[in-house]
Amino acid sequence: MGGCTQFPALDRTITPEMEAADYPDLVPIDPLLAQAEAGRIDPRQTEAQLTGRAARLETRANRIGGARTDQAAADRLARLRARAAQLRQAGLTPPERERLEDEPAQ
């Protein structure tokens, strides 16, 4: 009985141009998969970059803090230290690290 019913929401949804269009070309899947892999973020590499950046900001903040004592420098020092703390917090959590270590490399 369900095969004989009309589906008004689906009727006439394909335009004549779509009906007359050619089928898309079939392409090998390997280049598509390689593109998808290339676009992935490597969590370990990202964590290392963020940790390095945080350390550089901390070093910079210490250098600035030792050279100047005016209010503008103190404010900048506080911003740099806050940014370094944010970058450290953006690293992976221990469960995420464990999960990545358990997964086989692809």
Side-chain angles (χ1 to χ4, degrees), residues 37 40 42 44 99-106:
E37 288 292 322
R40 285 196 174 159
D42 180 1
R44 290 184 185 133
R99 183 181 56 81
L100 287 170
E101 290 170 1
D102 291 342
E103 290 180 0
Q106 295 182 12

Side-chain angles (χ1 to χ4, degrees), residues 1-69:
M1 191 120 160
C4 298
T5 190
Q6 294 291 321
F7 294 98
L10 300 177
D11 288 343
R12 295 174 295 285
T13 58
I14 298 177
T15 64
E17 293 82 18
M18 291 171 81
E19 190 76 38
D22 292 334
Y23 285 102
D25 293 334
L26 295 177
V27 296
I29 189 119
D30 291 332
L32 296 174
L33 292 175
Q35 272 184 330
E37 288 292 322
R40 285 196 174 159
I41 295 173
D42 180 1
R44 290 184 185 133
Q45 181 181 9
T46 301
E47 181 181 17
Q49 289 171 345
L50 289 175
T51 302
R53 187 169 176 205
R56 287 190 302 276
L57 284 172
E58 188 71 38
T59 301
R60 212 168 129 198
N62 290 334
R63 196 173 43 229
I64 291 170
R68 297 188 204 165
T69 57

